[in-house]
Amino acid sequence: MREDHGPVRYGPPAPDPGLPVLPELAAVLSGAAGRTRPEPPGGGSALREAARAYWDRRGLHGGPEHIAAAPGAQPLLFALIGAHGGDVLMPRPCPAAWMPQARLLGRPAYHVPTPAECGGVPDPYALLETVRRVRAEGGRPRLLLLSVADDPTATVAPPELVREACEAAIGEGMHVVSDETWRDTVHRPRDTVLLSPAEMCPDDVTVISDLSGALTPAAWPVAVARFPDTVRSAARHARTLDILTALGALVAGPLAQAAAHALREPDAVRDRIRRAAGLHSAVAAAAHRAVLACGALARPPQAGRHLYADLGPLRPRLAALGVTDSMELEEYLTDRLRAPTPGGHRFGDELGALRVRLGTGPLLGATPQERSASLTAPEPLESPHVARALSRFAAALGELR
């Protein structure tokens, strides 16, 4: 039953924000450039305290001693999986980096279907059935990865589904790792309820967040993890630090200072988060309309800077163009859209499914000046450069009807 679609030589990066670096953060990084000592394994006290306060403002309370930082989500997730024994379960589709981390560790990993209304969280009944089948084949399911605000599907799972999935996993003796990288990118925060699994099951959920989701540029790799306040989690925390140490996965000193500043969320950072979410919301909604207009399918995007499209209804036209699977679809659309368009096979979907992740960052403008103008425009869709980009996007998809 173990799934393996073969080696992946490289993975797609997270969706590009398409926005210039916040000047205040650039100034903090520049001011810290003289720091010559790296952070200790798991991050120094200032970075961990800033992460603690960040989560405290979101209702997840605890001390900085339960925080660990790493230079990006990949080494942090690698260390977390390594700190837990047993097999790994994750939704289908899921972030592109998840399966490779399990493979590198030689851990059996399995995908679980998600419900129709959202991605990121497995269907509870499918989860229980997968656990039963894995155990029947001699496996030991011990870890569930999920994301309430999801890459690649750009959806936000409803709280009742999150609760049912977590209770099912914990009832079967599994620990939950909740990737909340995109929680601050929700498009309509007043209309969307995002509840962390750690609020529901505080003793059985570890939360991770890559700060490039909303707080820092993608080129500044910093991610943080929040462990439960239990004896068992203290041992896993220590094991995670051991693995980060062995990997040499230490946060660079200057980046730690900039990341701590971002995690404190001063006014400029909060304003950038709000404006960026609103901008990507408007552009993603327009891109979603273009996807539907060409006859393809996609859930309405609720978070992040992307959407996940199913071009299965366009299969006859795509086949005439020589596109028969998601790898060929990735190559075709990347060339036509002139922007990275990773296929669904990178996110755990079947190769034969014609699904792709479409980013909104490339639609914000071709220059830093245009992207900055998009961010401050009262009606970004009326900006000439955004309108042109969306027109090209819709035309490229329209050719597939």
Side-chain angles (χ1 to χ4, degrees):
M1 182 183 168
R2 182 178 174 182
E3 300 179 12
D4 193 340
H5 298 302
V8 176
R9 302 300 180 190
Y10 64 93
D16 183 2
L19 296 171
V21 176
L22 184 65
E24 181 173 309
L25 283 183
V28 173
L29 181 64
S30 177
R35 290 188 59 180
T36 58
R37 291 187 178 182
E39 293 280 286
S45 58
L47 178 56
R48 289 184 291 107
E49 171 57 28
R52 180 210 63 78
Y54 166 87
W55 272 310
D56 189 75
R57 291 190 295 274
R58 287 153 179 79
L60 301 179
H61 309 297
E65 68 274 14
H66 305 303
I67 305 293
Q74 287 89 342
L76 184 56
L77 182 60
F78 183 89
L80 283 170
I81 295 174
H84 290 77
D87 303 348
V88 184
L89 274 63
M90 60 190 73
R92 182 199 298 275
C94 67
W98 286 7
M99 184 63 78
Q101 306 305 314
R103 285 176 177 161
L104 283 171
L105 286 161
R107 296 290 175 82
Y110 306 88
H111 284 292
V112 184
T114 56
E117 66 266 30
C118 68
V121 176
D123 178 87
Y125 297 102
L127 175 63
L128 291 173
E129 176 60 17
T130 303
V131 169
R132 184 193 66 79
R133 293 172 61 192
V134 170
R135 286 185 176 147
E137 296 176 6
R140 296 185 304 125
R142 298 288 297 278
L143 193 63
L144 171 66
L145 309 182
L146 55 78
S147 53
V148 179
D150 184 44
D151 171 23
T153 66
T155 58
V156 177
E160 58 273 18
L161 172 65
V162 178
R163 180 181 296 278
E164 291 173 5
C166 290
E167 289 179 347
I170 293 166
E172 293 295 330
M174 303 177 70
H175 188 76
V176 176
V177 172
S178 174
D179 185 342
E180 300 182 11
T181 294
W182 301 100
R183 70 170 296 156
D184 294 324
T185 68
V186 171
H187 295 169
R188 295 176 178 81
R190 294 183 179 179
D191 302 325
T192 306
V193 179
L194 189 155
L195 197 60
S196 170
E199 296 180 67
M200 306 174 182
C201 311
D203 292 342
D204 299 287
V205 177
T206 297
V207 178
I208 63 172
S209 179
D210 190 325
L211 302 195
S212 67
L215 293 169
T216 60
W220 302 4
V222 181
V224 288
R226 175 193 177 275
F227 292 79
D229 184 9
T230 67
V231 173
R232 176 174 291 184
S233 283
R236 290 169 176 162
H237 184 192
R239 177 59 177 158
T240 298
L241 297 184
D242 287 343
I243 296 172
L244 292 174
T245 302
L247 294 173
L250 310 178
V251 178
L255 284 184
Q257 193 156 323
H261 184 82
L263 283 163
R264 296 185 192 105
E265 297 179 290
D267 290 344
V269 171
R270 287 201 303 270
D271 182 67
R272 167 59 70 90
I273 291 172
R274 179 183 59 80
R275 288 180 178 272
L279 172 60
H280 284 287
S281 172
V283 175
H288 182 247
R289 290 192 292 270
V291 168
L292 298 184
C294 81
L297 305 172
R299 297 183 181 101
Q302 298 174 286
R305 35 190 184 253
H306 56 285
L307 64 156
Y308 198 57
D310 183 354
L311 277 63
L314 309 178
R315 188 176 293 274
R317 170 61 175 158
L318 286 166
L321 295 169
V323 176
T324 60
D325 61 31
S326 64
M327 188 176 297
E328 293 170 345
L329 182 62
E330 173 183 305
E331 295 174 355
Y332 176 83
L333 285 179
T334 295
D335 178 65
R336 292 293 293 117
L337 298 175
R338 291 178 286 176
T341 311
H345 60 286
R346 300 190 179 277
F347 307 105
D349 263 331
E350 295 294 340
L351 182 63
L354 296 173
R355 300 191 182 108
V356 290
R357 187 185 69 191
L358 301 164
T360 53
L363 302 174
L364 305 185
T367 67
Q369 293 76 21
E370 288 183 347
R371 297 175 193 129
S372 294
S374 299
L375 191 65
T376 57
E379 298 293 339
L381 299 186
E382 297 178 4
S383 299
H385 53 276
V386 174
R388 286 194 300 269
L390 283 168
S391 178
R392 288 193 298 267
F393 178 85
L397 293 178
E399 293 173 357
L400 303 177
R401 283 191 296 228

